[in-house]
Amino acid sequence: MTALAGPVPSFAARLKSDPLVRNSFFLMATTALGAGSGFVFWIVVARLYPPAEVGWASSLLSAVTLLSYFSGLGLSSSLVRYLPTTLSRSAHVSTALTSVAVTGTVLGAGFALVAPLVSPGLSFLSGSFPEVALFALLAMAVSQNLLTDSVFVALRAAKYNMLLNGVLMSVVKIGLPIVFVGAGAIGIFLSSTVASAVAAIASVVVIRQRLRIPVRPRLYPATLRSTLSYSLGNYASSCLNLVPLLVIPLLVLRSLGPEASAAYFVAFQIANFVNAVPFAVGEALFAEGSHEQEDLKHLAKRSALLILSIVVPAVSITAALAKPVLTLFGASYAADARNCLVVLAVSAFAVAFNTWSGFLLKVTRQLPAMNLSNLVYAVVTVGLAALGARHSLVWIAAAWGVGNLASGLVAVAALALRGFRLAPSDKGGSDEDRAHRQRRLRGRRRGA
């Protein structure tokens, strides 16, 4: 009994005292709850809706997710970078939320108008003003929900990610497919995006009341100017990173049809449960690096070990249970997506390597190297997927692994050239913020 009980208090103590472990734990718990509810959501959807409607809806939801990332303008990274040390948190959060609200609405409306013309299968988006307005508002809400996550991560309050995105959004999301069952593919879309809108509204309330940050619908030009260079650098990198997510589902839909698209979407969602582990730890790594309270090389080593300790068993379990898990969605999914899921699961090692090294580039503010790494990722992944799209979903899955591996190697090469030293401090933040950071650094040196 004593031997078995030993690790539990140790982990509990680390969870309480170590911000990297604590933030990572809550982010992974959020992912687990979100993945679990998403798993149930897609089982319900697969049972209630025909595969073709699931295929069209999955493509639409993928597009909305990508629109939300494109709407972010790199401001999520700026929040994690500056909130830990800034003296003007309200200005940073208000400016970010307002900017993303505008871009999210504009991009959402543009997509709703253009999509039916580009893809006839999305003709259920009629282009009428009420539908365009509703789509734009929901796309904006999804982007806002992503942005508020960064506020919680930056301030070591990831427990709210778990409560709002992991619990609240999951409960709402699971219940809505039954409500919208008569609406076809658009009903699946509404079920997911309305749940995100509920979580976004709740997140703003928590930021105001729990974190004591007065959020206002206002732009602060000085704050926007001071963070613009860093935000745009991260935005360029994010856009490159999103290209495969935007292009590959369309390649599958066009080359293999809506049924294959549905199978691929389900397999990718399951594999993302594993891929979310390095991303959660990477986000925590980024936040801790921004707090500048620990040697970066030591922080990098601890984060790598934490990732491996979870990814190795997760990949093994996912590959072993691929067929029975997919069978829960229906026999056609098990037949079409099993091998694809196994390859995606094994590719999680490459994804973890790329994610870890990419976040280290972000922490050390090596934006040119980060953009080059993501350019390699986009070109290799999309190029290989285009070559293999006519063959099978396995080729598509293999493209993800190879693309991530190539990108990670570029990132590690950049880190090796300069080690783990921070880049010369960027000009982001006000003069007062920079003076505050310098005083903190001098105080730590005296303490050492």
Side-chain angles (χ1 to χ4, degrees), residues 6-26:
V8 177
S10 176
F11 176 76
R14 291 185 65 192
L15 190 62
K16 184 177 180 180
S17 63
D18 189 337
L20 175 68
V21 175
R22 184 170 60 249
N23 245 9
S24 298
F25 172 79
F26 282 121

Side-chain angles (χ1 to χ4, degrees), residues 66-72 102-112 135-136 139 235:
L66 291 167
L67 286 173
S68 68
Y69 281 110
F70 282 122
S71 303
V102 173
T103 55
T105 303
V106 171
L107 289 178
F111 179 86
F135 186 93
Y235 183 60

Side-chain angles (χ1 to χ4, degrees), residues 321-379:
L321 299 180
K323 184 175 181 179
V325 169
L326 288 168
T327 302
L328 294 175
F329 293 86
S332 62
Y333 291 91
D336 296 339
R338 179 191 177 187
N339 292 335
C340 175
L341 177 54
V342 171
V343 175
L344 285 172
V346 174
S347 297
F349 290 112
V351 174
F353 173 59
N354 186 31
T355 303
W356 174 79
S357 57
F359 270 108
L360 283 173
L361 289 179
K362 187 178 290 191
V363 173
T364 55
R365 299 190 283 279
Q366 299 185 53
L367 296 185
M370 189 168 66
N371 287 333
L372 176 60
S373 174
N374 279 294
L375 177 62
V376 170
Y377 162 71
V379 171

Side-chain angles (χ1 to χ4, degrees), residues 41-96:
F41 173 80
W42 286 108
I43 288 177
V44 172
V45 165
R47 298 294 184 181
L48 293 177
Y49 298 79
E53 289 185 351
V54 176
W56 292 120
S58 64
S59 298
L60 187 60
L61 285 172
S62 296
V64 170
T65 300
L66 291 167
L67 286 173
S68 68
Y69 281 110
F70 282 122
S71 303
L73 301 175
L75 292 168
S76 291
S77 295
S78 290
L79 287 175
V80 178
R81 167 67 182 86
Y82 295 113
L83 277 185
T85 55
T86 186
L87 301 178
S88 52
R89 289 178 174 177
S90 176
H92 280 270
V93 177
S94 298
T95 296

Side-chain angles (χ1 to χ4, degrees), residues 114-333:
V114 172
L117 303 176
V118 175
S119 181
L122 298 178
S123 59
F124 50 81
L125 292 174
S126 66
S128 65
F129 177 78
E131 278 199 2
V132 170
L134 177 62
F135 186 93
L137 288 174
L138 290 173
M140 181 268 289
V142 174
S143 64
Q144 295 280 51
N145 193 37
L146 287 173
L147 191 66
T148 55
D149 289 349
S150 298
V151 176
F152 299 133
V153 171
L155 300 181
R156 295 170 170 169
K159 63 181 180 181
Y160 293 118
N161 294 60
M162 181 185 71
L163 294 174
L164 298 173
N165 284 347
V167 178
L168 176 63
M169 188 168 75
S170 297
V171 171
V172 176
K173 184 176 180 178
I174 291 173
L176 289 180
I178 299 173
V179 176
F180 294 123
V181 70
I186 197 68
I188 303 173
F189 167 76
L190 288 173
S191 299
S192 180
T193 52
V194 168
S196 292
V198 171
I201 294 170
S203 295
V204 173
V205 172
V206 169
I207 290 170
R208 290 177 61 90
Q209 295 185 356
R210 296 291 183 178
L211 302 185
R212 306 297 184 190
I213 300 176
V215 180
R216 303 178 180 89
R218 176 182 171 184
L219 286 172
Y220 291 80
T223 299
L224 191 61
R225 285 194 301 272
S226 69
T227 60
L228 187 61
S229 175
Y230 187 79
S231 297
L232 291 180
N234 279 281
Y235 183 60
S237 181
S238 297
C239 288
L240 289 170
N241 192 267
L242 292 172
V243 168
L245 292 173
L246 177 63
V247 173
I248 290 179
L250 297 177
L251 282 175
V252 175
L253 185 63
R254 186 181 184 90
S255 301
L256 302 174
E259 287 79 9
S261 179
Y264 171 76
F265 181 80
V266 168
F268 194 78
Q269 294 305 306
I270 296 171
N272 260 349
F273 179 71
V274 182
N275 295 335
V277 171
F279 187 83
V281 179
E283 283 279 3
L285 165 66
F286 184 26
E288 291 309 303
S290 298
H291 280 273
E292 299 175 347
Q293 292 179 338
E294 181 180 347
D295 176 70
L296 186 55
K297 185 176 290 187
H298 183 247
L299 188 63
K301 181 179 179 181
R302 290 202 301 124
S303 62
L305 292 174
L306 184 58
I307 289 171
L308 283 175
S309 67
I310 302 172
V311 168
V312 171
V315 168
S316 302
I317 293 170
T318 303
L321 299 180
K323 184 175 181 179
V325 169
L326 288 168
T327 302
L328 294 175
F329 293 86
S332 62
Y333 291 91

